Amino acid sequence: MTKAYPYENAPRLPDGEGIDLRALVTCSNRVELEIGPGRGWFMVERVEADPGVAIVGLEVRRKWAQTVDERLARRGFGDRARVFAEDARLALHRLADGCVDRAYVHFPDPWWKKRHQKRLVVCAEVLDQLGRVLPQGGELFVQTDVQERAESYEQLISAHPSFSAVNAEPWIDDHEFVARSPRERKAIEHGLPVYRLYYARL
Ligand SMILES: C[S@@+](CC[C@H](N)C(=O)[O-])C[C@H]1O[C@@H](n2cnc3c(N)ncnc32)[C@H](O)[C@@H]1O
């Protein structure tokens, strides 16, 4: 007898194209997107901090998608925050134009070998899709503790025609989102530098 995979029922996005995230969450003000929420504490803290925010996570690991989606529901945020077990590089293509007010990518791409380059989440194709799903004035926030990665993200995003720094330059010392991602919290606790980039959709 084959054993059932424990997370095979992790939530998935609806089938089809043109998915409007505003139809999947109850939102009084803005809809945000997190790519790769992992253990998901940024999403929990974000909806706790701002009642006007709804947030959707796209997490490729089914275990974390299901665990965090259930945790959000248990804490009473199931209407405003959902996590779907999806590869963001594929799922972004299926989202409707302009349906995300702000996108977060916290500490992505923990792969260092050349053969894993094709897995990178912050890449031209994903930026093209983020440029489509964010409306004009929408925001993109990316952070990492790996300096070389941060520098390559900065070059890629700053050269992309859809994005321009929110402030005079893209690097910011800290953000005002109140919430912290698990990796961000750990980096802060260990006194590691965190490189943060903040862009607006042109
Ligand atoms: C290094 S962890 C960071 C987790 C969390 N963002 C944080 O800052 O603590 C990267 C996360 O991105 C997820 N991930 C990697 N590639 C992905 C993809 N293509 N689509 C969605 N999630 C992805 C991983 O499963 C993992 O949860």
Side-chain angles (χ1 to χ4, degrees), residues 34-39 58-61 64 86-89 106-111 119 121 181-184:
E34 183 178 352
I35 295 179
R39 289 162 197 260
L58 299 175
E59 170 53 57
V60 77
R61 290 188 63 191
W64 288 114
E86 301 289 347
D87 181 334
R89 293 168 308 172
H106 304 299
F107 295 76
D109 302 331
W111 302 290
R119 287 198 201 169
V121 166
S181 88
R183 288 287 297 266
E184 178 183 18

mmCIF file of all heavy atoms in Angstrom, residues 34-39 58-61 64 86-89 106-111 119 121 181-184, ligand 1:
data_model
loop_
_atom_site.group_PDB
_atom_site.id
_atom_site.type_symbol
_atom_site.label_atom_id
_atom_site.label_comp_id
_atom_site.label_asym_id
_atom_site.label_seq_id
_atom_site.Cartn_x
_atom_site.Cartn_y
_atom_site.Cartn_z
ATOM 1 N N GLU A 34 3.718 37.853 -0.558
ATOM 2 C CA GLU A 34 5.060 37.449 -0.143
ATOM 3 C C GLU A 34 5.477 36.225 -0.935
ATOM 4 O O GLU A 34 4.748 35.216 -0.976
ATOM 5 C CB GLU A 34 5.136 37.150 1.368
ATOM 6 C CG GLU A 34 6.586 36.816 1.741
ATOM 7 C CD GLU A 34 6.842 36.549 3.217
ATOM 8 O OE1 GLU A 34 5.938 36.757 4.053
ATOM 9 O OE2 GLU A 34 7.984 36.121 3.515
ATOM 10 N N ILE A 35 6.644 36.299 -1.536
ATOM 11 C CA ILE A 35 7.195 35.152 -2.274
ATOM 12 C C ILE A 35 8.113 34.392 -1.330
ATOM 13 O O ILE A 35 9.061 34.954 -0.780
ATOM 14 C CB ILE A 35 7.957 35.633 -3.526
ATOM 15 C CG1 ILE A 35 6.976 36.294 -4.491
ATOM 16 C CG2 ILE A 35 8.679 34.471 -4.190
ATOM 17 C CD1 ILE A 35 7.602 36.827 -5.759
ATOM 18 N N GLY A 36 7.803 33.116 -1.086
ATOM 19 C CA GLY A 36 8.643 32.275 -0.231
ATOM 20 C C GLY A 36 8.584 32.645 1.236
ATOM 21 O O GLY A 36 9.616 32.893 1.858
ATOM 22 N N PRO A 37 7.378 32.640 1.848
ATOM 23 C CA PRO A 37 7.286 33.031 3.264
ATOM 24 C C PRO A 37 7.931 32.044 4.232
ATOM 25 O O PRO A 37 8.144 32.380 5.393
ATOM 26 C CB PRO A 37 5.772 33.128 3.519
ATOM 27 C CG PRO A 37 5.142 32.284 2.454
ATOM 28 C CD PRO A 37 6.049 32.373 1.265
ATOM 29 N N GLY A 38 8.246 30.825 3.779
ATOM 30 C CA GLY A 38 8.887 29.860 4.683
ATOM 31 C C GLY A 38 8.017 29.615 5.899
ATOM 32 O O GLY A 38 6.850 29.256 5.784
ATOM 33 N N ARG A 39 8.586 29.826 7.100
ATOM 34 C CA ARG A 39 7.830 29.574 8.340
ATOM 35 C C ARG A 39 6.763 30.632 8.615
ATOM 36 O O ARG A 39 6.008 30.503 9.583
ATOM 37 C CB ARG A 39 8.793 29.469 9.514
ATOM 38 C CG ARG A 39 9.582 28.184 9.427
ATOM 39 C CD ARG A 39 10.839 28.201 10.273
ATOM 40 N NE ARG A 39 11.713 27.141 9.819
ATOM 41 C CZ ARG A 39 11.840 25.949 10.404
ATOM 42 N NH1 ARG A 39 11.167 25.692 11.498
ATOM 43 N NH2 ARG A 39 12.621 25.037 9.894
ATOM 44 N N LEU A 58 3.108 32.810 -1.562
ATOM 45 C CA LEU A 58 3.331 31.719 -2.519
ATOM 46 C C LEU A 58 4.572 30.993 -2.044
ATOM 47 O O LEU A 58 5.667 31.574 -2.058
ATOM 48 C CB LEU A 58 3.534 32.269 -3.937
ATOM 49 C CG LEU A 58 2.363 33.061 -4.527
ATOM 50 C CD1 LEU A 58 2.750 33.647 -5.886
ATOM 51 C CD2 LEU A 58 1.110 32.191 -4.658
ATOM 52 N N GLU A 59 4.391 29.769 -1.568
ATOM 53 C CA GLU A 59 5.498 29.011 -0.955
ATOM 54 C C GLU A 59 5.617 27.664 -1.654
ATOM 55 O O GLU A 59 4.670 26.887 -1.659
ATOM 56 C CB GLU A 59 5.224 28.841 0.548
ATOM 57 C CG GLU A 59 6.154 27.890 1.266
ATOM 58 C CD GLU A 59 7.638 28.186 1.081
ATOM 59 O OE1 GLU A 59 8.080 29.299 1.398
ATOM 60 O OE2 GLU A 59 8.365 27.283 0.592
ATOM 61 N N VAL A 60 6.788 27.415 -2.201
ATOM 62 C CA VAL A 60 6.957 26.200 -3.000
ATOM 63 C C VAL A 60 6.931 24.933 -2.130
ATOM 64 O O VAL A 60 6.550 23.863 -2.612
ATOM 65 C CB VAL A 60 8.248 26.310 -3.862
ATOM 66 C CG1 VAL A 60 9.501 26.067 -3.034
ATOM 67 C CG2 VAL A 60 8.191 25.393 -5.066
ATOM 68 N N ARG A 61 7.323 25.049 -0.864
ATOM 69 C CA ARG A 61 7.331 23.853 0.004
ATOM 70 C C ARG A 61 5.945 23.644 0.597
ATOM 71 O O ARG A 61 5.448 24.461 1.377
ATOM 72 C CB ARG A 61 8.381 24.020 1.100
ATOM 73 C CG ARG A 61 9.786 23.953 0.523
ATOM 74 C CD ARG A 61 10.818 23.914 1.599
ATOM 75 N NE ARG A 61 10.689 22.725 2.418
ATOM 76 C CZ ARG A 61 11.334 22.544 3.571
ATOM 77 N NH1 ARG A 61 12.132 23.487 4.020
ATOM 78 N NH2 ARG A 61 11.170 21.452 4.255
ATOM 79 N N TRP A 64 5.331 23.918 4.400
ATOM 80 C CA TRP A 64 5.249 25.245 5.006
ATOM 81 C C TRP A 64 3.999 25.981 4.545
ATOM 82 O O TRP A 64 3.395 26.737 5.315
ATOM 83 C CB TRP A 64 6.526 26.038 4.740
ATOM 84 C CG TRP A 64 7.639 25.486 5.566
ATOM 85 C CD1 TRP A 64 8.767 24.861 5.112
ATOM 86 C CD2 TRP A 64 7.675 25.425 6.999
ATOM 87 N NE1 TRP A 64 9.511 24.437 6.185
ATOM 88 C CE2 TRP A 64 8.877 24.766 7.346
ATOM 89 C CE3 TRP A 64 6.830 25.861 8.006
ATOM 90 C CZ2 TRP A 64 9.240 24.536 8.667
ATOM 91 C CZ3 TRP A 64 7.185 25.633 9.324
ATOM 92 C CH2 TRP A 64 8.385 24.975 9.646
ATOM 93 N N GLU A 86 2.729 26.942 -4.120
ATOM 94 C CA GLU A 86 2.988 27.217 -5.538
ATOM 95 C C GLU A 86 4.431 27.635 -5.733
ATOM 96 O O GLU A 86 5.015 28.293 -4.863
ATOM 97 C CB GLU A 86 2.106 28.391 -6.034
ATOM 98 C CG GLU A 86 0.619 28.188 -5.912
ATOM 99 C CD GLU A 86 0.042 27.170 -6.881
ATOM 100 O OE1 GLU A 86 0.740 26.773 -7.837
ATOM 101 O OE2 GLU A 86 -1.112 26.744 -6.663
ATOM 102 N N ASP A 87 4.957 27.303 -6.890
ATOM 103 C CA ASP A 87 6.234 27.846 -7.336
ATOM 104 C C ASP A 87 5.941 29.240 -7.897
ATOM 105 O O ASP A 87 5.258 29.377 -8.922
ATOM 106 C CB ASP A 87 6.820 26.929 -8.419
ATOM 107 C CG ASP A 87 8.177 27.417 -8.912
ATOM 108 O OD1 ASP A 87 8.447 28.632 -8.827
ATOM 109 O OD2 ASP A 87 8.949 26.584 -9.397
ATOM 110 N N ALA A 88 6.444 30.259 -7.210
ATOM 111 C CA ALA A 88 6.109 31.632 -7.619
ATOM 112 C C ALA A 88 6.528 31.917 -9.059
ATOM 113 O O ALA A 88 5.887 32.713 -9.751
ATOM 114 C CB ALA A 88 6.793 32.626 -6.672
ATOM 115 N N ARG A 89 7.587 31.244 -9.521
ATOM 116 C CA ARG A 89 8.058 31.541 -10.883
ATOM 117 C C ARG A 89 7.023 31.133 -11.924
ATOM 118 O O ARG A 89 6.956 31.700 -13.007
ATOM 119 C CB ARG A 89 9.384 30.819 -11.153
ATOM 120 C CG ARG A 89 10.522 31.367 -10.292
ATOM 121 C CD ARG A 89 11.710 30.468 -10.351
ATOM 122 N NE ARG A 89 11.332 29.105 -10.040
ATOM 123 C CZ ARG A 89 12.121 28.055 -10.159
ATOM 124 N NH1 ARG A 89 13.340 28.209 -10.598
ATOM 125 N NH2 ARG A 89 11.692 26.853 -9.840
ATOM 126 N N HIS A 106 11.783 38.067 0.979
ATOM 127 C CA HIS A 106 12.703 38.123 2.111
ATOM 128 C C HIS A 106 13.680 36.952 2.057
ATOM 129 O O HIS A 106 13.258 35.789 2.059
ATOM 130 C CB HIS A 106 11.936 38.005 3.438
ATOM 131 C CG HIS A 106 10.854 39.019 3.632
ATOM 132 N ND1 HIS A 106 11.090 40.374 3.675
ATOM 133 C CD2 HIS A 106 9.510 38.870 3.817
ATOM 134 C CE1 HIS A 106 9.942 41.011 3.887
ATOM 135 N NE2 HIS A 106 8.971 40.124 3.966
ATOM 136 N N PHE A 107 14.952 37.247 2.027
ATOM 137 C CA PHE A 107 16.009 36.226 2.120
ATOM 138 C C PHE A 107 15.785 35.063 1.150
ATOM 139 O O PHE A 107 15.726 33.895 1.553
ATOM 140 C CB PHE A 107 16.110 35.711 3.568
ATOM 141 C CG PHE A 107 16.552 36.789 4.522
ATOM 142 C CD1 PHE A 107 15.673 37.782 4.935
ATOM 143 C CD2 PHE A 107 17.847 36.822 4.981
ATOM 144 C CE1 PHE A 107 16.089 38.803 5.797
ATOM 145 C CE2 PHE A 107 18.266 37.836 5.847
ATOM 146 C CZ PHE A 107 17.390 38.817 6.249
ATOM 147 N N PRO A 108 15.663 35.393 -0.154
ATOM 148 C CA PRO A 108 15.432 34.311 -1.127
ATOM 149 C C PRO A 108 16.734 33.608 -1.510
ATOM 150 O O PRO A 108 17.823 34.002 -1.082
ATOM 151 C CB PRO A 108 14.882 35.074 -2.329
ATOM 152 C CG PRO A 108 15.545 36.402 -2.255
ATOM 153 C CD PRO A 108 15.727 36.711 -0.784
ATOM 154 N N ASP A 109 16.594 32.592 -2.323
ATOM 155 C CA ASP A 109 17.698 32.011 -3.089
ATOM 156 C C ASP A 109 18.853 31.477 -2.257
ATOM 157 O O ASP A 109 20.004 31.913 -2.412
ATOM 158 C CB ASP A 109 18.230 33.068 -4.099
ATOM 159 C CG ASP A 109 17.140 33.546 -5.042
ATOM 160 O OD1 ASP A 109 16.212 32.760 -5.307
ATOM 161 O OD2 ASP A 109 17.220 34.683 -5.525
ATOM 162 N N PRO A 110 18.587 30.483 -1.395
ATOM 163 C CA PRO A 110 19.689 29.922 -0.610
ATOM 164 C C PRO A 110 20.474 28.858 -1.382
ATOM 165 O O PRO A 110 20.729 27.779 -0.863
ATOM 166 C CB PRO A 110 18.962 29.316 0.606
ATOM 167 C CG PRO A 110 17.633 28.908 0.046
ATOM 168 C CD PRO A 110 17.310 29.874 -1.066
ATOM 169 N N TRP A 111 20.799 29.155 -2.636
ATOM 170 C CA TRP A 111 21.542 28.193 -3.470
ATOM 171 C C TRP A 111 22.777 28.880 -3.993
ATOM 172 O O TRP A 111 22.712 30.012 -4.467
ATOM 173 C CB TRP A 111 20.676 27.730 -4.649
ATOM 174 C CG TRP A 111 19.415 27.103 -4.196
ATOM 175 C CD1 TRP A 111 19.283 25.898 -3.563
ATOM 176 C CD2 TRP A 111 18.103 27.646 -4.287
ATOM 177 N NE1 TRP A 111 17.965 25.665 -3.276
ATOM 178 C CE2 TRP A 111 17.223 26.724 -3.705
ATOM 179 C CE3 TRP A 111 17.584 28.824 -4.807
ATOM 180 C CZ2 TRP A 111 15.864 26.930 -3.626
ATOM 181 C CZ3 TRP A 111 16.242 29.045 -4.734
ATOM 182 C CH2 TRP A 111 15.382 28.098 -4.146
ATOM 183 N N ARG A 119 17.225 28.083 -10.464
ATOM 184 C CA ARG A 119 16.197 28.114 -9.427
ATOM 185 C C ARG A 119 15.961 29.512 -8.850
ATOM 186 O O ARG A 119 15.037 29.700 -8.077
ATOM 187 C CB ARG A 119 16.640 27.250 -8.247
ATOM 188 C CG ARG A 119 16.590 25.789 -8.459
ATOM 189 C CD ARG A 119 16.623 25.177 -7.084
ATOM 190 N NE ARG A 119 17.047 23.809 -7.098
ATOM 191 C CZ ARG A 119 17.347 23.128 -5.999
ATOM 192 N NH1 ARG A 119 17.305 23.723 -4.827
ATOM 193 N NH2 ARG A 119 17.695 21.886 -6.060
ATOM 194 N N VAL A 121 14.895 32.942 -7.533
ATOM 195 C CA VAL A 121 13.577 33.588 -7.575
ATOM 196 C C VAL A 121 13.710 35.030 -8.072
ATOM 197 O O VAL A 121 12.869 35.508 -8.832
ATOM 198 C CB VAL A 121 12.923 33.549 -6.171
ATOM 199 C CG1 VAL A 121 11.750 34.493 -6.086
ATOM 200 C CG2 VAL A 121 12.470 32.131 -5.848
ATOM 201 N N SER A 181 10.598 38.942 8.947
ATOM 202 C CA SER A 181 10.618 37.533 8.493
ATOM 203 C C SER A 181 11.495 36.735 9.458
ATOM 204 O O SER A 181 12.363 37.294 10.142
ATOM 205 C CB SER A 181 11.153 37.442 7.059
ATOM 206 O OG SER A 181 12.558 37.317 7.052
ATOM 207 N N PRO A 182 11.310 35.393 9.518
ATOM 208 C CA PRO A 182 12.130 34.586 10.438
ATOM 209 C C PRO A 182 13.629 34.760 10.205
ATOM 210 O O PRO A 182 14.403 34.914 11.153
ATOM 211 C CB PRO A 182 11.671 33.152 10.144
ATOM 212 C CG PRO A 182 10.266 33.308 9.640
ATOM 213 C CD PRO A 182 10.254 34.591 8.865
ATOM 214 N N ARG A 183 14.041 34.765 8.945
ATOM 215 C CA ARG A 183 15.475 34.916 8.666
ATOM 216 C C ARG A 183 15.957 36.317 9.040
ATOM 217 O O ARG A 183 17.081 36.497 9.496
ATOM 218 C CB ARG A 183 15.754 34.643 7.180
ATOM 219 C CG ARG A 183 15.629 33.178 6.796
ATOM 220 C CD ARG A 183 16.804 32.350 7.313
ATOM 221 N NE ARG A 183 18.049 32.798 6.722
ATOM 222 C CZ ARG A 183 18.607 32.275 5.643
ATOM 223 N NH1 ARG A 183 18.050 31.245 5.047
ATOM 224 N NH2 ARG A 183 19.738 32.736 5.164
ATOM 225 N N GLU A 184 15.099 37.278 8.837
ATOM 226 C CA GLU A 184 15.461 38.662 9.179
ATOM 227 C C GLU A 184 15.652 38.787 10.693
ATOM 228 O O GLU A 184 16.628 39.366 11.171
ATOM 229 C CB GLU A 184 14.341 39.598 8.703
ATOM 230 C CG GLU A 184 14.573 41.051 9.044
ATOM 231 C CD GLU A 184 13.394 41.937 8.627
ATOM 232 O OE1 GLU A 184 12.283 41.410 8.386
ATOM 233 O OE2 GLU A 184 13.593 43.159 8.549
HETATM 234 C C1 LIG B 1 15.795 31.028 2.726
HETATM 235 S S1 LIG B 1 14.099 30.737 2.884
HETATM 236 C C2 LIG B 1 13.502 32.310 3.551
HETATM 237 C C3 LIG B 1 12.178 32.167 4.221
HETATM 238 C C4 LIG B 1 11.534 33.490 4.693
HETATM 239 N N1 LIG B 1 11.252 34.349 3.555
HETATM 240 C C5 LIG B 1 12.406 34.206 5.674
HETATM 241 O O1 LIG B 1 12.926 35.283 5.350
HETATM 242 O O2 LIG B 1 12.580 33.705 6.779
HETATM 243 C C6 LIG B 1 13.510 30.825 1.195
HETATM 244 C C7 LIG B 1 12.060 30.405 1.056
HETATM 245 O O3 LIG B 1 11.643 30.563 -0.292
HETATM 246 C C8 LIG B 1 10.938 29.399 -0.699
HETATM 247 N N2 LIG B 1 11.039 29.322 -2.167
HETATM 248 C C9 LIG B 1 12.164 29.020 -2.874
HETATM 249 N N3 LIG B 1 11.882 29.043 -4.190
HETATM 250 C C10 LIG B 1 10.560 29.361 -4.302
HETATM 251 C C11 LIG B 1 9.696 29.521 -5.403
HETATM 252 N N4 LIG B 1 10.130 29.353 -6.655
HETATM 253 N N5 LIG B 1 8.407 29.855 -5.163
HETATM 254 C C12 LIG B 1 7.956 30.000 -3.895
HETATM 255 N N6 LIG B 1 8.734 29.847 -2.808
HETATM 256 C C13 LIG B 1 10.023 29.545 -3.003
HETATM 257 C C14 LIG B 1 11.626 28.279 0.054
HETATM 258 O O4 LIG B 1 10.853 27.109 0.128
HETATM 259 C C15 LIG B 1 11.820 28.945 1.410
HETATM 260 O O5 LIG B 1 10.669 28.845 2.219
#
